[in-house]
Amino acid sequence: MKAPLPGTTNAPADALGSPRLLTRLLSGPSGIGTDSLRLTPAAEPESASASPTAGPSPMSPSSQRIEGLYCPPAVRDDRALADEVNDRLVEWAENDVALYPDTDHREALVGFDPGRSVVLCHPDAPDIDHLMAAARLLVGENAVDDYFCEAEYGGSADRRGAALAVAQSAIDPAHNTPRYEADWRSGVDSHPALRSMRSAMDHFRALATSAQAHRYRHDIAGLYLGYNAEGDCISERRTPAVWEYLVQRQFNNFRPCLTITDAIGGYELPAQLFAEPAVQRAVALSSNASTICNDLYSLRKEQQSERFHYSLPTVIAAEEDCSIEDAFQQSIEVHNDLVRLFEEQAAVLSATDPLLARFMTGLSNWVGGNHEWHAGNVGTRYATSP
């Protein structure tokens, strides 16, 4: 029987955080748009007592970073390539799946800038078709969230679970008698979010293996479980305990986007390696950190909305009976701890297998790219301080 992969508790002391391993982990990409890339090491965070103000980023003139937030550096930011992805996404959304009913929705799609997100997060993609596969899935996931979970698009608490089950069937087909399969296909055809997810999945399956497609379906089912957990708290206007919130966030997070990093990179991490507990820990830590990053950058905008909202800073503020500013700083510390735990786990795994090293680099690239995308959307979709 094969020995299990090492975890963080039984790793050699010199492996954890080893400069050689971390350099290998954070090595640069070789995909399209990387010719002029120059890597810089991630800076250590400022003191946790610093105020959550924003500072300039070397990646983009419009980028603003949260002071003290520790993250791997983004390794590619190619505006021309991002614009090409966005143009192709608009063409797909308009002509293939009729995703939005009017120009306002079209402008919202462009303003969301999914092209820059996938360019930043998947710097090892071998060509634009692989980037487009990630971008379509990203847009489809957001469409499901908007249409079935947001009241302004018609989502409702009493039908959320049923709607998400149907949404899962858009990527995990129903198998019934011919009559009812025909009814199901007609139902999927009738809704823009369902059409989008089905089309996005078809494009993804064209370049992914069966195991990678199955992995994605599994992670999306977990995401929808997280949507329901969040929806219940919002419907009840209940602020969960911090530990419960973090459990919810491990489902309601960016995991589906991170775990396709090998497929979008043009290779496969075998299913038996992906399923190893140590690999799952690295996936969970990187996914959780990326989502807490979202909590931090979106806090001000969420607070300015009229709806009930909760995030890591708000649940910490409620549990600790402290100011939102203090809770914001505590949330930065949680994020930073998650990133460092991921880096330690990733370094250990990278030393065991070249393919695992490549996959861990992909996860690290996603964490860094996600941070840069959020920082670059300050003033549009997100804001940086409470």
Side-chain angles (χ1 to χ4, degrees):
M1 179 178 294
K2 178 174 65 69
L5 291 171
T8 55
T9 57
N10 60 357
D14 60 354
L16 297 181
S18 160
R20 180 181 64 82
L21 289 176
L22 290 178
T23 298
R24 179 184 181 190
L25 174 66
L26 300 176
S27 60
S30 58
I32 52 177
T34 61
D35 290 344
S36 60
L37 181 65
R38 183 173 63 185
L39 299 182
T40 57
E44 282 294 311
E46 301 292 334
S47 167
S49 63
S51 62
T53 54
S57 163
M59 294 295 294
S60 168
S62 63
S63 181
Q64 299 181 62
R65 297 173 181 271
I66 293 174
E67 184 178 352
L69 200 66
Y70 174 71
C71 240
V75 298
R76 174 182 64 182
D77 196 2
D78 186 327
R79 185 68 258 176
L81 183 57
D83 288 341
E84 175 64 20
V85 172
N86 283 334
D87 289 345
R88 295 190 185 196
L89 277 174
V90 169
E91 182 179 359
W92 168 75
E94 287 184 334
N95 300 331
D96 291 3
V97 297
L99 176 57
Y100 38 75
D102 52 48
T103 55
D104 288 343
H105 287 77
R106 179 186 184 197
E107 291 172 1
L109 173 60
V110 175
F112 178 53
D113 205 0
R116 183 168 184 252
S117 175
V118 298
V119 166
L120 281 164
C121 292
H122 298 284
D124 61 341
D127 53 47
I128 198 168
D129 289 337
H130 284 73
L131 289 174
M132 285 302 303
R136 291 188 193 94
L137 290 174
L138 176 62
V139 170
E141 291 163 24
N142 278 277
V144 169
D145 189 11
D146 285 343
Y147 277 106
F148 298 144
C149 301
E150 299 293 336
E152 63 184 291
Y153 288 91
S156 62
D158 58 344
R159 282 192 47 80
R160 185 188 307 108
L164 290 174
V166 174
Q168 180 69 17
S169 79
I171 63 172
D172 196 355
H175 300 282
N176 291 303
T177 62
R179 172 190 169 182
Y180 294 112
E181 279 199 22
D183 290 345
W184 162 71
R185 293 181 188 280
S186 177
V188 171
D189 286 340
S190 69
H191 197 285
L194 302 180
R195 291 193 300 267
S196 300
M197 282 303 293
R198 181 185 60 190
S199 174
M201 190 66 184
D202 287 345
H203 283 280
F204 179 64
R205 287 176 59 245
L207 58 83
T209 68
S210 295
Q212 287 171 323
H214 182 72
R215 181 201 304 170
Y216 180 78
R217 294 187 192 100
H218 177 274
D219 287 344
I220 285 293
L223 177 66
Y224 293 166
L225 177 65
Y227 284 176
N228 276 316
E230 178 185 23
D232 286 348
C233 288
I234 291 174
S235 297
E236 299 166 4
R237 301 183 69 84
R238 179 177 72 87
T239 300
V242 175
W243 72 264
E244 182 186 354
Y245 175 78
L246 291 172
V247 168
Q248 292 178 14
R249 262 317 200 189
Q250 187 155 311
F251 291 97
N252 183 11
N253 71 10
F254 296 131
R255 178 186 172 103
C257 300
L258 279 90
T259 59
I260 63 172
T261 188
D262 56 337
I264 304 306
Y267 67 98
E268 181 181 20
L269 183 70
Q272 67 272 19
L273 279 180
F274 180 77
E276 288 284 354
V279 176
Q280 288 297 298
R281 174 174 167 78
V283 168
L285 289 168
S286 56
S287 301
N288 293 343
S290 297
T291 311
I292 299 305
C293 176
N294 174 278
D295 279 5
L296 293 166
Y297 276 100
S298 64
L299 178 61
R300 177 182 288 173
K301 183 173 183 178
E302 293 289 357
Q303 285 188 310
Q304 290 172 347
S305 70
E306 296 181 357
R307 68 176 188 175
F308 176 81
H309 161 256
Y310 73 112
S311 62
L312 184 58
T314 63
V315 298
I316 288 178
E319 184 166 293
E320 301 291 335
D321 193 23
C322 64
S323 69
I324 193 65
E325 290 81 9
D326 288 344
F328 191 84
Q329 291 301 322
Q330 291 185 52
S331 299
I332 290 175
E333 294 173 9
V334 172
H335 170 275
N336 293 350
D337 287 346
L338 288 169
V339 173
R340 290 195 177 93
L341 287 169
F342 160 68
E343 289 183 334
E344 291 175 356
Q345 182 71 84
V348 174
L349 290 169
S350 296
T352 67
D353 183 280
L355 199 57
L356 275 173
R358 187 176 183 183
F359 188 71
M360 292 299 118
T361 299
L363 296 180
S364 180
N365 288 340
W366 209 98
V367 173
N370 171 72
H371 173 233
E372 191 61 42
W373 181 85
H374 278 84
N377 276 3
V378 170
T380 54
R381 186 176 177 89
Y382 298 101
T384 62
S385 59

